[in-house]
């Protein structure tokens, strides 16, 4: 079953194409990450799917509804974590979650939601006193208090320190394990690698890749580099058969290979190479 | 999800609680007319407004400040709060939930009504205790007072919502709205006696609601024979009602045509 189906999506700003002929599918229960440089059309796409922006062409189906005609029953089934906002400053965390829980038909308990996003200690604090990471977790809390089937996350961890990002990823993993479909945009390749079942890369409004994180840029097949130390000098060899190479090396050196490392192309390298090809 | 009335009540409570935690709003939209009464009342309060009459300047002032309260609590408060909420993501977040959109406006109107009722009680209470202000003398005048307050609140709030489309954020909204409110207070008979203003000033003010709100409030709080001091020799209740109703209709049409939930270029 599909949660999201997009065919030939077109959106222009002042005659210039922001999104051009984009297809996108997200299966129910799947986590899909949309990657791309700034201005690539990631947020435009996600905001069209959220019902915030109109489109100039193509068909869009989100949970069986065209987001250009959003209705309340549909809004009940989706959760939105938009790009950073600065609202609710004068409410406490608990007041905000409680207030928003009133809008939905089926809700997660207020305390349960606060607990889920790890803000129990901050429940009675004003939102204006939260750190960036806590504020973002509140945004997720507000996005999931209505038990959405589909959760949109638009650059959820921008500006996080590594620890906050790790905690945030655990939270999303937990939502995924509850069966929530997740569509996220991000600048962080590691985030997509950790969370996403599938990555879609958009550059200049056009989809340039749609695959699993492992297979992006054929990095599962590509050559890997083997690094080791020999006579005190760093050595490197690129090979597509690392197992055989290391076995040979072990025979030659006779025993344990000093400083042995095998490095596969990271998602980031694969992604940058992909964008490089696109812009040439 | 709860029923519509309960949702409106929830929203009103939430809005009221969070709005009253904002010091800027409390100072400039809630307490200002009360400070003005204390300052003007203490300086000029005991003097007669017209030579030979026993009606004090404070009595004249209270009518104007009640009219101003409607402008502060509804027009100014909404004209600043809504652009602020449009730029900080409040409106975007709300429109992404199943909340019926009208609940937002009901919440705003409830906050305006609460602020005005608080101001009216404070102005009349303090005025009565310290500046010898007299209450309306008949049930008929009390009814007119309530009627002017309700219509004033509605027209002022609608104009605030319409005005909110002009500014891109809260800061530029207060730079636009606050001087405008001040201008109309000077020209509509709040700080000065309306009849003593230059004719061109009277003519400009007479197009806009504050002049009619202040004049109707004078009709409620000044002796009936003071109508002879008005430019039209009358407090013109009927005309005032019609003009406020007309502004409400114009403002509704403007809101309908121009209100945006998301910032510019974000459709």
């Amino acid at each position: 079953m599909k949660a999201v189906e997009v065919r030939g999506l077109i959106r222009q700003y002042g005659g210039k194409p922001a999104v051009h002929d984009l297809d996108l599918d997200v299966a129910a229960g799947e986590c899909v990450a949309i990657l791309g440089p700034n201005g690539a059309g990631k947020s435009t796409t996600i905001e069209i799917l959220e019902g915030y922006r109109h489109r100039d062409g193509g068909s869009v189906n989100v949970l069986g509804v065209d987001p250009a005609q959003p209705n309340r029953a549909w809004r009940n089934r989706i959760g939105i974590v938009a790009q950073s906002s600065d609202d609710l400053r004068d409410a406490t965390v608990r007041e905000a979650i409680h207030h928003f829980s009133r809008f939905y038909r089926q809700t997660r308990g207020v305390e349960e939601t606060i607990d889920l996003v790890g803000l129990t200690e901050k429940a009675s604090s004003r939102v204006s006193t939260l750190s960036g990471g806590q504020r973002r977790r509140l945004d997720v809390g507000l996005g999931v208090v209505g038990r959405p089937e589909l959760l949109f996350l638009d650059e959820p961890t921008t500006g996080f320190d590594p620890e906050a990002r790790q905690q945030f990823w655990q939270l999303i993993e937990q939502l995924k394990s509850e069966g929530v479909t997740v569509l996220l945009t991000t600048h962080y390749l590691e985030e997509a690698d950790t969370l996403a079942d599938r990555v879609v890369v958009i550059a200049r409004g056009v989809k340039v890749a749609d695959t699993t994180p492992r297979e992006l840029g054929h990095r599962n097949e590509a050559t890997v580099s083997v690094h080791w130390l020999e006579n005190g000098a760093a050595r490197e060899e690129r090979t597509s058969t690392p197992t055989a190479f290391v076995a040979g090396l072990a025979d030659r050196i006779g025993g344990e290979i000093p400083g042995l490392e095998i490095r596969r192309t990271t998602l980031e390298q694969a992604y940058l190479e992909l964008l490089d090809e696109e812009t040439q | 999800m709860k029923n519509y009335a309960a949702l409106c009540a929830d929203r009103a409570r939430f809005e009221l609680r969070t709005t009253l935690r904002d010091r800027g709003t409390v100072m400039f939209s809630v307490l200002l007319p009360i400070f003005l009464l204390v300052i003007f009342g203490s300086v000029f309060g005991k003097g007669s407004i017209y030579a030979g009459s026993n009606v004090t300047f404070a009595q004249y002032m209270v009518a104007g400040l009640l009219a101003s309260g409607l402008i502060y609590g509804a027009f100014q408060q909404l004209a600043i709060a809504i652009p602020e909420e449009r730029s900080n993501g409040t409106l975007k977040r709300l429109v992404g939930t199943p909340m019926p959109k009208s609940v937002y406006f009901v919440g705003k109107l409830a906050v305006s009504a609460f602020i005005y009722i608080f101001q009216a009680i404070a102005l009349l209470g303090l005025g009565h205790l310290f500046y010898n202000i007299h209450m309306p003398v008949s049930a008929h005048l009390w009814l007119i007072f309530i009627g002017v307050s309700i219509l004033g609140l509605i027209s002022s709030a609608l104009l605030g919502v319409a005005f909110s489309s002009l500014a891109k954020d809260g800061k530029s909204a207060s730079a636009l709205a606050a001087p405008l409110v001040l201008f109309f207070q000077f020209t509509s008979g709040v700080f000065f006696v309306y009849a003593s203003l230059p004719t061109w000033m009277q003519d400009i003010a007479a197009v806009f609601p504050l002049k009619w709100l202040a004049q109707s409030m004078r009709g409620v709080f000044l002796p009936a024979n003071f109508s002879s001091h008005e430019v039209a020799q009358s407090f013109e209740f009927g005309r005032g009602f019609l003009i406020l109703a007309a502004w409400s209709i114009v403002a509704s049409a403007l809101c309908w045509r121009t209100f945006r939930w998301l910032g510019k270029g974000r459709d």
Side-chain angles (χ1 to χ4, degrees), chain A residues 261-278:
Chain A
E261 261 184 85
I262 300 175
R263 295 184 201 156
R264 202 168 273 281
T265 315
T266 64
L267 183 60
E268 184 149 307
Q269 285 165 337
Y271 167 78
L272 291 174
E273 278 167 25
L274 183 73
L275 288 183
D276 227 31
E277 286 166 28
E278 285 306 314

Side-chain angles (χ1 to χ4, degrees), chain A residues 11 13 47 50 52-55 72-73 75-78 80 82-92 95-96 98-107 126 135 138-139 142-143 154, chain B residues 1-4 6-15 17-23 25 84-85 87-101 103 261-262 265-267:
Chain A
R11 174 65 211 249
Y13 293 121
E47 291 197 347
E50 290 164 342
Y52 281 136
R53 292 175 189 255
H54 76 262
R55 62 180 187 267
R72 292 183 56 200
R75 291 257 175 241
N76 252 302
R77 299 168 61 203
I78 65 169
I80 296 176
Q83 274 182 35
S84 60
S85 50
D86 190 31
D87 57 338
L88 300 166
R89 294 182 63 80
D90 294 313
T92 67
E95 284 166 351
H98 177 261
H99 180 56
F100 276 76
S101 74
R102 297 303 179 105
F103 300 151
Y104 295 89
R105 206 176 288 145
Q106 291 183 322
T107 56
R126 297 277 172 91
R135 158 104 235 180
L138 171 65
D139 287 338
L142 295 169
D154 201 353
Chain B
M1 195 197 54
K2 319 206 318 172
N3 67 47
Y4 186 77
L7 217 51
C8 288
D10 265 349
R11 181 75 197 155
R13 263 197 302 275
F14 183 80
E15 280 266 31
R17 192 180 286 160
T18 52
T19 304
L20 295 180
R21 282 176 190 164
D22 181 69
R23 289 199 193 97
T25 305
E84 167 98 46
E85 295 189 342
S87 67
N88 74 14
T90 305
L91 297 186
K92 186 176 182 183
R93 194 193 296 279
L94 286 173
V95 92
T97 74
M99 181 195 82
K101 289 177 184 171
V103 170
W261 289 90
L262 305 179
R266 300 187 67 89
D267 53 341

Side-chain angles (χ1 to χ4, degrees), chain B residues 216-236:
Chain B
S216 299
M217 290 293 184
R218 289 199 293 279
V220 170
F221 287 92
L222 299 183
N225 61 6
F226 268 59
S227 61
S228 61
H229 293 289
E230 295 293 329
V231 177
Q233 308 284 307
S234 157
F235 293 117
E236 299 179 288

Side-chain angles (χ1 to χ4, degrees), chain B residues 25-45:
Chain B
T25 305
V26 171
M27 282 303 295
F28 290 102
S29 294
V30 182
L31 297 178
L32 195 56
I34 297 154
F35 290 149
L36 290 173
L37 175 72
V38 172
I39 292 164
F40 282 90
S42 304
V43 178
F44 309 109

Side-chain angles (χ1 to χ4, degrees), chain A residues 4 22 48 56 164 207:
Chain A
V4 175
L22 186 90
I48 289 170
D56 296 316
K207 185 164 82 175

Side-chain angles (χ1 to χ4, degrees), chain A residues 188-200:
Chain A
Y188 300 104
L189 280 297
E190 203 190 342
E191 184 158 291
D193 212 359
T194 309
L195 296 177
D197 302 312
R198 209 148 50 75
V199 291
V200 171

Side-chain angles (χ1 to χ4, degrees), chain A residues 174-238:
Chain A
Q174 182 167 350
L175 291 167
K176 279 169 64 184
S177 71
E178 291 178 13
V180 179
T181 307
V182 178
L183 182 59
L184 85 145
T185 70
T186 183
H187 278 301
Y188 300 104
L189 280 297
E190 203 190 342
E191 184 158 291
D193 212 359
T194 309
L195 296 177
D197 302 312
R198 209 148 50 75
V199 291
V200 171
V201 181
I202 304 180
R204 288 177 300 177
V206 180
K207 185 164 82 175
V208 296
D210 185 342
T211 178
T212 65
R214 280 212 68 76
E215 285 164 321
L216 185 73
H218 305 285
R219 68 178 172 124
N220 56 326
E221 304 159 8
T223 56
V224 299
S225 52
V226 178
H227 302 255
W228 74 100
L229 292 170
E230 199 166 335
N231 304 327
R235 300 281 304 270
E236 180 185 348
E237 178 80 25
R238 289 186 76 83

Side-chain angles (χ1 to χ4, degrees), chain B residues 179-199:
Chain B
L180 201 66
V181 169
L182 204 56
F183 171 80
F184 281 113
Q185 285 177 310
F186 279 116
T187 58
S188 302
V190 173
F191 296 146
F192 301 126
V193 174
Y194 182 76
S196 64
L197 296 173
T199 321

